[in-house]
Amino acid sequence: MLGSLLDRIFVAYSNRNGSLPPQIEHYSFRNGNDSTNWVCFIPEFCYHIPSIRKRIIPEGVNLDVYVLPKTIVQPNPELTRLFLDDVLMAATQNQTKHYSGKEVNVLGISLGNVLSFRFAEQIQVNKLLSIVPGSRLAECIWESIATNPIAENSGRSLQDYQKSLANYNPIESVSKINPLVSEIYLGGRDLMIPTKRGKELAQAMQEKVKVNMKYHRFSGHVETVVSFSKKFHKIVHNSVSS
């Protein structure tokens, strides 16, 4: 178990400064024999590191993958909100237009959870997988070792971030969603989305629906994501076979 060490190394070698991309990074993988569609909201490193992408994008299933850029957290939180709005709209419209009537499962990894929970508000989902989530976006940004420097140097306050990003607090979505199956994966040494924020969301979920909780006590953010990715292929194909 590497604990929080891998988080610190990952952040040290990741440059999160810069503007947002002009277009949404979306990939569609189709298998006509599968009646289930997976909608996945994942951070950039999950797609652009080949070893993780291979596990997150299993063959033989329908997936729509929305990749969030490493620059998603902006000094101006309104820019972050607008980008999230665009991704959410694209995902819900794509699902409604092309896959209406199909069973839909949703996967959120890291900051992708703020979209997966909002998506589940608008589209009835069968299975919701939540990997290293946080309860409240603004607070997670300010408390994360990855994004705190951006927020601290933005010239804006926590309250400014809270106001701009109020629509993207997963804990506020809990009362509005009703997945048949829910799974939450947390790392006990997470420094990128503090463990206490994930626990807060998990507790709120457990008060409403049955949640299969996976708690990696000695793992950080990145290690928990990697551990989950090794299991995702089996989870997806078990869903297909059932």
Side-chain angles (χ1 to χ4, degrees):
M1 297 291 182
L2 297 175
S4 59
L5 177 62
L6 194 56
D7 291 359
R8 294 185 185 277
I9 294 173
F10 182 78
V11 170
Y13 287 92
S14 299
N15 181 9
R16 297 175 181 274
N17 297 309
S19 59
L20 288 163
Q23 294 185 345
I24 296 167
E25 190 173 356
H26 169 226
Y27 302 95
S28 186
F29 302 89
R30 304 266 67 87
N31 172 30
N33 296 324
D34 182 12
S35 62
T36 300
N37 191 48
W38 282 85
V39 179
C40 307
F41 301 98
I42 65 175
E44 184 175 300
F45 80 90
C46 288
Y47 194 84
H48 293 289
I49 295 177
S51 60
I52 299 179
R53 180 179 67 239
K54 183 178 180 180
R55 297 166 179 158
I56 295 294
I57 313 296
E59 296 180 355
V61 292
N62 294 325
L63 296 100
D64 277 290
V65 180
Y66 297 86
V67 180
L68 301 184
K70 61 184 178 181
T71 57
I72 183 67
V73 174
Q74 289 285 303
N76 180 354
E78 279 296 303
L79 296 179
T80 297
R81 179 189 63 81
L82 289 171
F83 191 86
L84 292 172
D85 286 347
D86 287 345
V87 177
L88 179 63
M89 181 180 295
T92 53
Q93 288 183 347
N94 185 64
Q95 178 67 31
T96 302
K97 181 177 180 180
H98 297 291
Y99 311 110
S100 179
K102 282 186 177 291
E103 181 179 281
V104 58
N105 298 325
V106 65
L107 166 68
I109 298 179
S110 191
L111 194 144
N113 283 283
V114 305
L115 288 164
S116 65
F117 275 77
R118 284 297 312 279
F119 180 87
E121 284 186 37
Q122 301 182 41
I123 304 289
Q124 175 60 45
V125 302
N126 177 60
K127 180 174 289 189
L128 171 65
L129 301 186
S130 180
I131 318 305
V132 289
S135 53
R136 304 176 190 277
L137 179 53
E139 284 81 349
C140 288
I141 289 172
W142 277 78
E143 295 167 3
S144 168
I145 65 168
T147 54
N148 172 265
I150 296 171
E152 286 277 7
N153 296 314
S154 68
R156 293 169 171 82
S157 65
L158 170 60
Q159 290 72 30
D160 293 329
Y161 275 77
Q162 288 171 329
K163 182 178 179 180
S164 294
L165 303 174
N167 288 337
Y168 289 99
N169 293 325
I171 198 166
E172 304 293 342
S173 298
V174 169
S175 63
K176 305 170 187 175
I177 65 176
N178 189 32
L180 297 179
V181 178
S182 301
E183 295 186 7
I184 295 180
Y185 293 70
L186 298 179
R189 304 288 177 85
D190 195 330
L191 298 181
M192 294 176 68
I193 295 182
T195 302
K196 67 178 182 180
R197 296 298 177 184
K199 286 183 174 180
E200 184 179 27
L201 178 62
Q203 182 177 351
M205 285 287 287
Q206 288 170 332
E207 291 173 358
K208 183 177 186 294
V209 298
K210 182 177 180 180
V211 178
N212 185 8
M213 177 83 164
K214 306 289 187 181
Y215 187 61
H216 299 262
R217 182 179 179 184
F218 299 107
S219 296
H221 190 88
V222 176
E223 191 174 12
T224 302
V225 171
V226 172
S227 177
F228 164 77
S229 73
K230 296 176 181 179
K231 305 171 185 176
F232 188 52
H233 185 280
K234 183 176 180 179
I235 293 171
V236 166
H237 285 285
N238 283 346
S239 296
V240 173
S241 62
S242 61

